[in-house]
Every structure is written in C-alpha cells, then in structure tokens.
Amino acid sequence: MSTPLPSISGKRLRLPKTKVEQRPNLLKQDFSTTGLNQKWTADMTYIQTKRNGWCYLSTIMDLHSRRITGYSFSKKMDTDLVLKTLESAVKNRTITGELIIHTDLGSQYTSDDYNQRLTELYIRHSYSRKGCPYDNAPMESFHASLKKECVYPVPVFEDYETAAAVLFEYVHAFYNKKRIHSSLGYQTPLQVEIATLTSQMAA
C-alpha cells in the first residue's frame, strides 16, 4: 500500500483565495535569459524517510545556467525553510532590481515574511497560475530528474540525516557540476556560469 502524501498545514500563512489568485505572473512561461541573476525559479518537493517521515527539499534555480543556487532541507515545510533557501541563493550572487523570482501560490511563498524579504532585496515576485505546473516547468523538470536519478533508486531513505547527505551530494557535486543539459548546449550548469562570468569580465 502506498504512503499518502502529507497535507500542507500552515493555516496562519494562508491568504484569502481571491487575494492569492490575483498575484502577478511576470514570467508567463518565458524562461529565456541573456545573463545570470535575471530570472530565478523556486519550489519545494517531498522526500520520504523511514524514521522521520516526510521531509522537504527547497531549491532555487537560476534559469540562465540551470544551476541550483539556493538549497535547504528540513523536517518542516514552513516559511523559515523557503527564507533559508533564499538567503543561501543571494549569499554569493550580485542582485539588481532586474531579478525576478518565480514560485507557486503556496502559503510559504505568499507569506508576508517572504515577500518582505524579497522587497528588501529588490527582487520582483512572479507566481504560477493556480493548477498550472507549466508556469514553473524548469523546476518541475529538475524535481523529476532528482526523483528519477537520486530518490527512487533508494527507494526510501533511512532517516533525515541520510537523505540530507545524499541530496546535498546530488545537487552540489553531480547536478551543478557534472550533469549536462541539452538546453545548455550539452554543458553543465557550472560550465555555463563560468563561461558567462568570463565573458562579462572580458567585455
């Protein structure tokens, strides 16, 4: 018998339905870029463990390089998780007022705390339409690859610590540095970032 997915709590973070659905979709499925730190996409996914139940992986991707620039793993799916991911993404990046981050309408991303931090960082917030995963297709693709290549072969991690170690290795050592993408001309995300930064320095 399959284990049911956990329900999302966080009722205190939810906004009225009409207000949530009015959030702007700035990206409109245009994932094209001309450089780094122009368009980011963010999302969370469930990771099951035997001892600790469901845990949650939160990531941010730069759409220019497809590199995972923000990363956080937790036993709780709350606003602190996505805020921690955001801080890890901006830590070593140069942010300007041109940056857009795209998320779904989850209560963590529509929370006042998250959007206040985006305002402080001069990052514009774009939202997927309700029930439209294609609005966040690059992140959906990343999660599909991660589940196929890293999670499903296990098939269930023993505990939170084991999952954290394996996921960290997959994202930082394999996906960012070794996994080639046809959309990147069969380069890795790290190769694209290095080439982009080298080109900017030479200009």
Side-chain angles (χ1 to χ4, degrees), residues 7-15 23 43-44 46 56 58 76-83 103-116 118 125 127:
S7 60
I8 301 174
S9 56
K11 292 182 179 179
R12 68 182 181 86
L13 300 174
R14 289 178 181 168
L15 296 173
R23 299 291 176 120
D43 202 0
M44 294 177 284
Y46 303 98
Y56 310 95
S58 168
K76 296 181 180 180
M77 190 168 73
D78 54 17
T79 302
D80 287 341
L81 173 62
V82 295
L83 281 170
T103 72
D104 61 24
L105 292 165
S107 58
Q108 297 82 6
Y109 294 120
T110 57
S111 67
D112 290 340
D113 288 344
Y114 191 76
N115 283 280
Q116 175 60 37
L118 291 181
H125 200 168
Y127 297 85

Side-chain angles (χ1 to χ4, degrees), residues 26-27 38-40 98-102 123-126:
L26 304 176
L27 226 54
Q38 295 176 352
K39 297 175 182 178
W40 289 358
E98 298 301 316
L99 175 58
I100 294 173
I101 189 167
H102 186 87
I123 300 175
R124 292 181 291 163
H125 200 168
S126 173

Side-chain angles (χ1 to χ4, degrees), residues 36-107:
L36 298 170
N37 306 317
Q38 295 176 352
K39 297 175 182 178
W40 289 358
T41 184
D43 202 0
M44 294 177 284
T45 192
Y46 303 98
I47 304 295
Q48 188 178 11
T49 69
K50 292 180 181 178
R51 295 184 182 179
N52 303 109
W54 292 98
C55 299
Y56 310 95
L57 176 66
S58 168
T59 51
I60 292 176
M61 173 190 291
D62 189 308
L63 288 179
H64 185 70
S65 64
R66 296 298 199 269
R67 185 179 185 181
I68 300 301
T69 59
Y71 173 98
S72 187
F73 188 55
S74 175
K75 297 176 185 178
K76 296 181 180 180
M77 190 168 73
D78 54 17
T79 302
D80 287 341
L81 173 62
V82 295
L83 281 170
K84 185 177 180 181
T85 309
L86 178 63
E87 295 303 330
S88 71
V90 302
K91 184 177 181 180
N92 297 310
R93 314 289 283 193
T94 300
I95 307 302
T96 69
E98 298 301 316
L99 175 58
I100 294 173
I101 189 167
H102 186 87
T103 72
D104 61 24
L105 292 165
S107 58

